Amino acid sequence: MALKIWLDGKLVDEKDAKISVFDHGLLYGDGVFEGIRVYNSRVFELDAHIRRLYGSAKAIRLEVPMSRSELISAVEKTVEANGVIDGYIRLLVTRGVGTLGLNPFICEDSRLIIIADNIQLYPEELYEKGMKVISATTVRNHPLAIPPQVKSLNYLNNILAKIEALDNDVPEAIMYNHEGYVAEATGDNVFIVRDGVIYTPPAEAGSLEGMTQGIVIELAREENLEVVEKNLTRFDLYVCDEFFLTGTAAEVIGIVEIDGRVIGDGKPGPVTKLLRKKFFKYAHGKKL
Ligand code: PXG
């Protein structure tokens, strides 16, 4: 079924949802976006995603052409118009039409696009068995050059790492920063467990401040599990007891092998399973 796309203030048919070839979002990756889940017809953590979007936009001097409350209402209307019950929303703001030159200030109005669609989930089997990953050789963008907190339309760094993963027949790659510390996966945050303590890298290491990461930290602390944000090395990943990734698309997924090193007993561990279960309940609006 053809989708209804929100484009610059109204819902249009998918075939009419078009953007100029002079849009700086296309020419330079000049824009920001969010990926949001819908669970049981409820847009998950919408306020937090909107807040992150406005933060990303502010950091790159891009004006979101709507107030926050108008944007929330536009997202909800788009979800409703497409009858999405469990799905995925892509919210984008591009710099708009400019010329063949970098100057962002001569661009006409920024453009706002909302797509509400179904999501392609990883097969359930992958959650039960766990996933294999490799370490990417592509170094994560320097966090002082491209702030990792900005969810920009330029994902080339991540795509280069994803290509390495796929070339090695695994779905994901772990990216390290210029100092060799773990940053994140190509679209997910990294967690490990060692001796009962949970560790995840700080944003300064080169990771997006993930919504799922934040929720999982809270859920873990509710279980009186200790969570520490600190720099992790490749060695830490190799010798940990448990390893998992979090993200809007992946939710919580166990990693059972990295660069040929088996993690734990080769199956997702108890902390991973507990947090996955708690996240599922939380996402579906059940009591914790
Ligand atoms: N790091 C990066 C670079 C991301 O792009 C995350 C971490 C996890 O953040 P959240 O807030 O989602 O917990 C992301 C999110 C997709 C897709 O279509 C990618 C993301 C989210 C949703 C969909 O590939 N990345």
Side-chain angles (χ1 to χ4, degrees), residues 40-92:
N40 295 339
S41 308
R42 208 168 45 92
V43 184
F44 186 57
E45 300 289 310
L46 182 54
D47 288 352
H49 279 284
I50 299 286
R51 184 166 186 273
R52 188 168 71 182
L53 183 84
Y54 273 79
S56 293
K58 183 171 186 189
I60 69 161
R61 300 263 314 258
L62 172 65
E63 201 170 324
V64 181
M66 266 184 163
S67 70
R68 290 184 193 213
S69 57
E70 283 168 342
L71 187 48
I72 287 172
S73 141
V75 168
E76 281 165 351
K77 277 186 196 146
T78 311
V79 168
E80 206 182 300
N82 289 283
V84 174
I85 293 165
D86 285 294
Y88 177 63
I89 299 164
R90 176 61 59 94
L91 181 48
L92 301 88

Coordinates of all heavy atoms in Angstrom, one line a residue, residues 40-92:
N40 N 2.4 -0.6 19.7 CA 0.9 -0.6 20.1 C 0.3 0.8 19.8 O -0.4 1.4 20.6 CB 0.7 -0.8 21.6 CG 1.2 -2.2 22.1 OD1 1.2 -3.1 21.3 ND2 1.5 -2.3 23.4
S41 N 0.6 1.3 18.6 CA 0.0 2.6 18.1 C 0.6 3.8 18.9 O 0.1 4.9 18.8 CB -1.5 2.6 18.2 OG -2.0 1.5 17.5
R42 N 1.5 3.6 19.8 CA 2.0 4.7 20.6 C 3.4 5.0 20.1 O 4.3 4.1 20.0 CB 2.1 4.2 22.1 CG 2.0 5.3 23.1 CD 1.7 4.7 24.5 NE 2.6 3.5 24.8 CZ 3.8 3.6 25.4 NH1 4.2 4.8 25.8 NH2 4.5 2.5 25.6
V43 N 3.7 6.3 19.9 CA 5.0 6.6 19.4 C 6.0 6.6 20.6 O 5.7 7.3 21.6 CB 5.0 8.0 18.7 CG1 6.4 8.3 18.2 CG2 4.0 8.1 17.6
F44 N 7.0 5.8 20.5 CA 7.8 5.5 21.7 C 8.8 6.6 22.0 O 9.6 7.0 21.1 CB 8.6 4.2 21.4 CG 9.4 3.7 22.6 CD1 8.8 3.4 23.8 CD2 10.8 3.4 22.4 CE1 9.6 2.9 24.9 CE2 11.5 2.9 23.5 CZ 10.9 2.7 24.7
E45 N 8.8 7.2 23.2 CA 9.7 8.2 23.6 C 9.8 9.4 22.7 O 10.8 9.9 22.4 CB 11.1 7.6 23.7 CG 11.2 6.5 24.7 CD 11.1 6.9 26.2 OE1 11.8 7.8 26.6 OE2 10.3 6.3 26.9
L46 N 8.6 9.8 22.2 CA 8.5 10.9 21.2 C 9.1 12.2 21.7 O 9.9 12.8 21.0 CB 7.1 11.1 20.7 CG 6.9 12.1 19.6 CD1 7.8 11.9 18.4 CD2 5.4 12.2 19.2
D47 N 8.8 12.6 22.9 CA 9.4 13.8 23.4 C 10.9 13.8 23.4 O 11.5 14.8 23.0 CB 8.9 14.1 24.9 CG 7.4 14.5 24.9 OD1 6.8 14.7 23.8 OD2 6.8 14.5 26.0
A48 N 11.4 12.7 23.8 CA 12.9 12.6 23.9 C 13.5 12.7 22.5 O 14.6 13.3 22.3 CB 13.3 11.3 24.6
H49 N 12.9 12.0 21.5 CA 13.4 12.1 20.2 C 13.3 13.5 19.6 O 14.2 13.9 18.9 CB 12.6 11.1 19.3 CG 13.1 9.7 19.4 ND1 14.3 9.2 18.8 CD2 12.5 8.6 20.0 CE1 14.4 7.9 19.1 NE2 13.4 7.5 19.8
I50 N 12.2 14.2 19.9 CA 12.0 15.5 19.4 C 13.1 16.4 20.0 O 13.7 17.3 19.3 CB 10.6 16.1 19.7 CG1 9.5 15.2 19.1 CG2 10.5 17.5 19.4 CD1 9.3 15.4 17.6
R51 N 13.4 16.2 21.3 CA 14.4 17.0 22.0 C 15.8 16.8 21.3 O 16.5 17.7 21.1 CB 14.4 16.6 23.4 CG 15.3 17.3 24.3 CD 15.1 17.1 25.8 NE 15.9 18.0 26.5 CZ 17.1 17.7 26.9 NH1 17.7 16.5 26.6 NH2 17.8 18.6 27.6
R52 N 16.1 15.5 21.0 CA 17.4 15.2 20.4 C 17.4 15.8 19.0 O 18.5 16.4 18.6 CB 17.6 13.7 20.3 CG 19.0 13.3 19.9 CD 19.3 11.9 20.1 NE 18.6 11.0 19.2 CZ 18.7 9.7 19.2 NH1 19.5 9.1 20.1 NH2 18.0 8.9 18.3
L53 N 16.3 15.8 18.2 CA 16.3 16.4 16.9 C 16.6 17.9 17.0 O 17.4 18.4 16.2 CB 14.9 16.1 16.2 CG 14.8 16.6 14.8 CD1 15.4 15.6 13.8 CD2 13.4 17.0 14.4
Y54 N 15.9 18.6 17.9 CA 16.1 20.0 18.0 C 17.6 20.3 18.4 O 18.2 21.3 18.0 CB 15.1 20.6 19.0 CG 13.8 21.0 18.3 CD1 12.9 20.1 18.0 CD2 13.6 22.3 17.9 CE1 11.7 20.4 17.4 CE2 12.4 22.7 17.3 CZ 11.5 21.7 17.0 OH 10.3 22.1 16.4
G55 N 18.1 19.4 19.3 CA 19.5 19.6 19.7 C 20.5 19.4 18.5 O 21.4 20.2 18.3
S56 N 20.2 18.4 17.7 CA 21.1 18.1 16.5 C 21.0 19.3 15.6 O 22.0 19.8 15.0 CB 20.6 16.9 15.7 OG 20.8 15.7 16.4
A57 N 19.7 19.8 15.4 CA 19.5 21.0 14.4 C 20.2 22.2 14.9 O 20.9 22.9 14.2 CB 18.0 21.2 14.2
K58 N 20.1 22.5 16.2 CA 20.7 23.7 16.8 C 22.2 23.7 16.6 O 22.8 24.7 16.2 CB 20.3 23.8 18.3 CG 20.9 25.1 18.9 CD 20.4 25.3 20.3 CE 20.9 26.7 20.7 NZ 20.6 26.9 22.1
A59 N 22.8 22.5 16.8 CA 24.2 22.4 16.7 C 24.8 22.6 15.3 O 25.9 23.1 15.2 CB 24.7 21.0 17.2
I60 N 23.9 22.4 14.3 CA 24.4 22.7 12.9 C 23.8 23.9 12.3 O 23.8 24.1 11.1 CB 24.3 21.4 12.0 CG1 22.8 21.1 11.7 CG2 24.9 20.2 12.6 CD1 22.6 20.2 10.5
R61 N 23.2 24.8 13.2 CA 22.6 26.0 12.8 C 21.5 25.8 11.7 O 21.4 26.5 10.7 CB 23.6 27.0 12.2 CG 24.7 27.4 13.2 CD 24.5 28.7 13.9 NE 24.1 29.9 13.1 CZ 24.9 30.9 12.7 NH1 26.2 30.8 13.0 NH2 24.4 31.9 12.1
L62 N 20.7 24.8 12.0 CA 19.6 24.5 11.1 C 18.3 24.7 11.8 O 18.1 24.3 13.0 CB 19.7 23.0 10.7 CG 18.5 22.4 9.9 CD1 18.4 23.0 8.6 CD2 18.7 20.9 9.8
E63 N 17.4 25.4 11.2 CA 16.1 25.7 11.8 C 15.0 24.7 11.5 O 14.8 24.4 10.3 CB 15.6 27.1 11.4 CG 14.6 27.7 12.4 CD 14.3 29.1 12.1 OE1 15.2 29.8 11.6 OE2 13.1 29.5 12.3
V64 N 14.5 24.1 12.6 CA 13.4 23.1 12.3 C 12.1 24.0 12.0 O 11.8 24.9 12.8 CB 13.1 22.3 13.6 CG1 12.0 21.3 13.3 CG2 14.4 21.5 14.0
P65 N 11.5 23.8 10.9 CA 10.4 24.8 10.5 C 9.1 24.5 11.1 O 8.0 24.7 10.5 CB 10.3 24.5 8.9 CG 10.7 23.1 8.8 CD 11.7 22.8 9.9
M66 N 9.1 24.2 12.4 CA 7.9 23.9 13.2 C 8.2 24.0 14.6 O 9.3 23.7 15.0 CB 7.5 22.4 12.9 CG 6.5 22.2 11.9 SD 6.1 20.4 11.9 CE 4.6 20.4 11.0
S67 N 7.2 24.3 15.4 CA 7.4 24.3 16.9 C 7.4 22.8 17.3 O 6.9 21.9 16.6 CB 6.3 25.0 17.6 OG 5.1 24.3 17.5
R68 N 7.9 22.6 18.5 CA 7.9 21.2 19.0 C 6.5 20.6 19.1 O 6.3 19.4 18.8 CB 8.6 21.1 20.4 CG 10.1 21.4 20.4 CD 10.7 21.2 21.7 NE 12.0 21.8 21.7 CZ 13.1 21.4 22.3 NH1 13.0 20.4 23.2 NH2 14.2 21.9 22.2
S69 N 5.6 21.4 19.6 CA 4.2 20.8 19.7 C 3.6 20.5 18.3 O 2.9 19.5 18.2 CB 3.3 21.7 20.6 OG 3.3 23.0 20.0
E70 N 3.9 21.4 17.4 CA 3.4 21.1 16.0 C 4.0 19.9 15.4 O 3.4 19.1 14.7 CB 3.7 22.3 15.1 CG 2.8 23.5 15.3 CD 3.4 24.8 14.5 OE1 4.6 24.8 14.2 OE2 2.7 25.7 14.4
L71 N 5.3 19.7 15.7 CA 6.0 18.5 15.2 C 5.5 17.2 15.8 O 5.2 16.3 15.1 CB 7.5 18.7 15.5 CG 8.4 17.7 14.9 CD1 8.1 17.5 13.4 CD2 9.9 18.1 15.0
I72 N 5.2 17.3 17.1 CA 4.6 16.1 17.8 C 3.3 15.8 17.1 O 3.0 14.6 16.8 CB 4.5 16.4 19.3 CG1 5.9 16.3 19.9 CG2 3.6 15.3 20.0 CD1 6.0 16.7 21.4
S73 N 2.5 16.8 16.9 CA 1.2 16.5 16.3 C 1.3 16.0 14.9 O 0.6 15.1 14.4 CB 0.3 17.8 16.4 OG -0.4 18.0 15.3
A74 N 2.3 16.5 14.1 CA 2.5 16.1 12.7 C 2.9 14.6 12.7 O 2.5 13.8 11.9 CB 3.6 16.9 12.1
V75 N 3.8 14.2 13.7 CA 4.2 12.8 13.7 C 3.0 11.9 14.0 O 2.8 10.9 13.4 CB 5.3 12.6 14.8 CG1 5.5 11.1 15.1 CG2 6.6 13.3 14.4
E76 N 2.2 12.3 15.0 CA 1.0 11.5 15.3 C 0.0 11.4 14.2 O -0.5 10.3 13.9 CB 0.4 12.1 16.6 CG 1.2 11.6 17.8 CD 0.9 12.4 19.1 OE1 0.2 13.4 19.1 OE2 1.4 12.0 20.2
K77 N -0.2 12.5 13.4 CA -1.1 12.5 12.3 C -0.5 11.5 11.2 O -1.3 10.8 10.6 CB -1.2 13.9 11.7 CG -2.2 14.7 12.4 CD -2.4 16.0 11.7 CE -3.1 17.0 12.6 NZ -2.7 18.4 12.4
T78 N 0.8 11.5 11.0 CA 1.4 10.7 10.0 C 1.2 9.2 10.3 O 0.9 8.4 9.5 CB 2.9 11.1 9.7 OG1 3.0 12.5 9.6 CG2 3.4 10.4 8.5
V79 N 1.4 8.9 11.6 CA 1.3 7.5 12.1 C -0.2 7.1 11.9 O -0.4 6.0 11.3 CB 1.7 7.4 13.6 CG1 1.2 6.1 14.2 CG2 3.2 7.6 13.7
E80 N -1.1 7.9 12.2 CA -2.5 7.6 12.1 C -2.9 7.4 10.6 O -3.6 6.5 10.2 CB -3.3 8.7 12.7 CG -4.7 8.3 13.2 CD -5.5 9.4 13.8 OE1 -4.9 10.0 14.8 OE2 -6.5 9.7 13.3
A81 N -2.5 8.4 9.8 CA -2.8 8.3 8.3 C -2.3 7.0 7.7 O -2.9 6.6 6.7 CB -2.3 9.5 7.6
N82 N -1.3 6.4 8.2 CA -0.7 5.2 7.6 C -1.1 4.0 8.4 O -0.6 2.9 8.0 CB 0.8 5.3 7.5 CG 1.2 6.3 6.5 OD1 1.2 6.1 5.3 ND2 1.6 7.5 6.9
G83 N -2.0 4.1 9.4 CA -2.5 3.0 10.1 C -1.4 2.2 10.8 O -1.5 0.9 10.8
V84 N -0.3 2.8 11.2 CA 0.8 2.1 11.8 C 0.5 1.7 13.2 O 0.2 2.6 14.0 CB 2.1 3.0 11.7 CG1 3.3 2.3 12.5 CG2 2.5 3.2 10.3
I85 N 0.7 0.4 13.5 CA 0.5 0.0 14.9 C 1.8 -0.4 15.5 O 2.1 0.1 16.6 CB -0.5 -1.2 14.9 CG1 -1.9 -0.8 14.4 CG2 -0.6 -1.9 16.3 CD1 -2.9 -1.8 14.0
D86 N 2.6 -1.2 14.9 CA 4.0 -1.4 15.3 C 4.8 -1.1 14.1 O 4.7 -1.8 13.1 CB 4.1 -2.9 15.7 CG 3.5 -3.2 17.0 OD1 4.0 -2.7 18.0 OD2 2.5 -3.9 17.0
G87 N 5.6 -0.1 14.2 CA 6.4 0.4 13.0 C 7.5 1.3 13.4 O 8.0 1.3 14.5
Y88 N 7.8 2.0 12.4 CA 9.1 2.8 12.4 C 8.8 4.2 11.8 O 8.3 4.2 10.7 CB 10.2 2.0 11.7 CG 11.5 2.8 11.7 CD1 12.2 3.1 12.8 CD2 12.0 3.1 10.4 CE1 13.4 3.8 12.7 CE2 13.2 3.8 10.3 CZ 13.9 4.1 11.5 OH 15.1 4.8 11.4
I89 N 9.3 5.2 12.4 CA 9.1 6.6 11.9 C 10.5 7.1 11.5 O 11.4 7.0 12.4 CB 8.5 7.5 12.9 CG1 7.1 7.0 13.2 CG2 8.4 8.9 12.4 CD1 6.5 7.6 14.5
R90 N 10.6 7.7 10.4 CA 11.9 8.4 10.0 C 11.5 9.9 9.9 O 10.6 10.2 9.1 CB 12.4 7.9 8.7 CG 13.6 8.6 8.1 CD 14.8 8.5 9.0 NE 15.3 7.2 9.3 CZ 16.2 6.5 8.7 NH1 16.8 7.1 7.6 NH2 16.6 5.3 9.0
L91 N 12.1 10.7 10.7 CA 11.8 12.1 10.7 C 13.1 12.8 10.3 O 14.2 12.6 10.8 CB 11.5 12.5 12.2 CG 11.2 13.8 12.7 CD1 10.1 14.4 11.9 CD2 10.6 13.7 14.1
L92 N 13.0 13.6 9.2 CA 14.2 14.3 8.6 C 14.0 15.8 8.5 O 12.9 16.2 8.1 CB 14.5 13.8 7.2 CG 14.7 12.4 6.8 CD1 13.5 11.7 6.5 CD2 15.7 12.4 5.6

